[in-house]
Amino acid sequence: MASSLQPLATSLSPQERFQEYLQAKGLRQTEQRKFLIDEVFNQHEHFDADELIERLPRRGSPNYVSSATVYRTLREFVDAGLLKSFQLEGRTVYEHDYGYPQHDHLYCTRCQELFEFTSDELIALRDRVAADQGFRVTGHRLIIQGICQKCSQTRRKKRKQDLV
Amino acid sequence: MASSLQPLATSLSPQERFQEYLQAKGLRQTEQRKFLIDEVFNQHEHFDADELIERLPRRGSPNYVSSATVYRTLREFVDAGLLKSFQLEGRTVYEHDYGYPQHDHLYCTRCQELFEFTSDELIALRDRVAADQGFRVTGHRLIIQGICQKCSQTRRKKRKQDLV
DNA sequence: TTTCCTGCAAAATCTTTGCATGATC
DNA sequence: GATCATGCAAAGATTTTGCAGGAAA
């Protein structure tokens, strides 16, 4: 819901791409890995390890995956280029990377939602700044904090009511 | 060493400014707070709680400050507007805010050093993006990752030697 | 059948908190 | 003297790891 970007055309699904990664590394295709990649690419929202674990089957249910395996697998997804991760208020937040354009974020500090945007201008600016300092760029992370439109409106309404 | 920015002119020292903050909030001026503010503003490098604790006197020595107090005091410094904090690879990194211009960072993933830069253009871009989405901006954080000039050179030399 | 993977529990980090004692206003 | 701050230890929160049993190739 917070996304306004279009997916990129990809020749392989995330599942297929992960298979290739596993084969290239001599790793195995397990039930847990298959299940997790489906879960993770089933939706596009940002999430952290805990949120993912919360919506997975509980211990004892079919398809249960232990937390340790979730953490291990999320790291593999990042290594495989399927997910990106970044830090936000102490949590490690994951988002789709494969099949999704490079982008940055607006973060609403009231509702905690992340909104995406792209800016070629930002990339140009970044490269110029880096070149100035003799830096070889490998990436960047920009998060703009503030209050989103919806939250601003909510607050405004509440204030009017308070005055009544 | 990683800084190329000039301090701003300030009418109060960080110490004085913190005194005002404490008085305004009805808090107390303790030995620990005085000692810590001197330690923290004694140098300009970025640091995390652990690095600060490491260079403070050990338990039993004069001026010993417990870790709990260090954590509590760092939060007060941030509240007081003396320090800013941000997340970098899981750590909470602190830097001087009071008396120092708004800036962003280049981060060398090889030597882990942070370099600072300012860009009015970035601010303009940020405000434009936010306005587009109806966001009310309160701040931002940009970190450009890459390899710094020195590390690039080191690596290049090593490669030549490897060929000999 | 060899190697890798998983689940479990324990450990490792980093940070916060409850509480009794002690310092500051 | 009243209140706030500190130190200590314990608890939280999050993530990693050692290990034994189990699964994939």
Side-chain angles (χ1 to χ4, degrees):
Chain A
M1 76 192 278
S3 168
S4 54
L5 307 181
Q6 295 303 312
L8 302 170
T10 49
S11 51
L12 299 178
S13 68
Q15 285 81 354
E16 291 167 331
R17 163 101 191 222
F18 192 50
Q19 278 185 38
E20 288 206 343
Y21 169 86
L22 292 175
Q23 284 171 9
K25 288 238 174 183
L27 303 177
R28 288 166 188 178
Q29 217 180 339
T30 64
E31 289 306 314
Q32 288 87 341
R33 283 170 177 163
K34 279 188 240 175
F35 184 73
L36 286 177
I37 200 163
D38 287 346
E39 275 299 319
V40 161
F41 279 88
N42 202 14
Q43 58 116 60
H44 185 65
E45 300 303 305
H46 300 83
F47 64 94
D48 63 22
D50 197 54
E51 286 164 358
L52 176 57
I53 290 166
E54 283 295 303
R55 67 169 209 258
L56 293 175
R58 306 288 155 185
R59 186 197 301 208
S61 311
N63 291 320
Y64 168 71
V65 182
S66 71
S67 302
T69 295
V70 170
Y71 278 103
R72 284 188 278 236
T73 306
L74 285 174
R75 262 190 305 182
E76 288 169 341
F77 288 168
V78 172
D79 285 350
L82 296 174
L83 293 182
K84 269 192 179 174
S85 70
F86 55 100
Q87 303 290 127
L88 186 62
E89 296 185 345
R91 309 178 311 152
T92 299
V93 176
Y94 295 88
E95 66 177 5
H96 296 177
D97 186 19
Y98 181 66
Y100 212 68
Q102 212 269 10
H103 61 271
D104 287 283
H105 298 93
L106 291 145
Y107 176 64
C108 177
T109 51
R110 192 167 296 163
C111 67
Q112 258 95 290
E113 189 143 5
L114 281 163
F115 301 82
E116 301 172 342
F117 72 92
T118 53
S119 170
D120 294 339
E121 206 182 321
L122 173 64
I123 306 301
L125 190 158
R126 173 195 80 177
D127 293 345
R128 218 175 318 125
V129 166
D132 274 1
Q133 304 220 13
F135 239 77
R136 196 166 75 236
V137 176
T138 55
H140 75 274
R141 180 70 61 189
L142 170 62
I143 297 179
I144 302 175
Q145 294 131 266
I147 309 291
C148 73
Q149 193 156 40
K150 192 188 283 181
C151 283
S152 291
Q153 287 164 356
T154 304
R155 181 59 173 278
R156 207 177 295 134
K157 277 178 193 161
K158 271 187 187 156
R159 274 183 179 155
K160 275 183 190 166
Q161 289 171 350
D162 288 344
L163 295 176
V164 176
Chain B
M1 75 189 284
S3 168
S4 53
L5 307 181
Q6 294 303 313
L8 303 169
T10 49
S11 51
L12 298 179
S13 68
Q15 285 82 354
E16 291 166 333
R17 162 101 190 222
F18 192 50
Q19 278 186 37
E20 289 206 342
Y21 169 86
L22 292 175
Q23 283 171 10
K25 288 237 173 183
L27 303 177
R28 286 166 189 180
Q29 220 182 336
T30 64
E31 288 306 314
Q32 288 88 340
R33 284 171 177 161
K34 279 188 240 172
F35 184 73
L36 286 176
I37 200 164
D38 287 345
E39 275 298 319
V40 161
F41 279 88
N42 200 16
Q43 57 116 61
H44 186 65
E45 302 303 306
H46 300 82
F47 64 95
D48 62 25
D50 197 53
E51 285 164 358
L52 176 58
I53 290 165
E54 283 295 303
R55 68 167 206 261
L56 293 176
R58 307 288 153 184
R59 187 195 305 205
S61 311
N63 290 320
Y64 168 71
V65 182
S66 71
S67 302
T69 296
V70 171
Y71 278 103
R72 283 188 278 235
T73 307
L74 286 174
R75 260 191 306 183
E76 286 168 341
F77 289 169
V78 171
D79 285 350
L82 295 174
L83 294 181
K84 269 193 179 174
S85 71
F86 58 99
Q87 303 287 129
L88 185 62
E89 296 185 344
R91 309 180 309 152
T92 300
V93 176
Y94 295 87
E95 66 177 5
H96 294 179
D97 185 20
Y98 181 64
Y100 212 69
Q102 212 270 11
H103 60 272
D104 288 283
H105 299 93
L106 292 145
Y107 176 63
C108 177
T109 51
R110 193 168 294 163
C111 67
Q112 258 96 288
E113 188 143 4
L114 280 165
F115 301 82
E116 302 172 344
F117 72 92
T118 53
S119 170
D120 294 341
E121 208 181 321
L122 172 64
I123 306 300
L125 190 159
R126 173 195 80 176
D127 292 345
R128 218 176 316 127
V129 167
D132 274 2
Q133 305 220 12
F135 238 76
R136 195 167 74 238
V137 176
T138 56
H140 75 275
R141 182 66 63 188
L142 170 62
I143 297 180
I144 302 175
Q145 294 131 265
I147 309 292
C148 74
Q149 193 157 40
K150 193 189 281 182
C151 284
S152 292
Q153 286 164 357
T154 304
R155 180 57 172 278
R156 207 177 294 135
K157 278 179 191 158
K158 274 191 186 152
R159 275 185 177 156
K160 275 184 189 166
Q161 289 171 348
D162 289 345
L163 295 175
V164 176

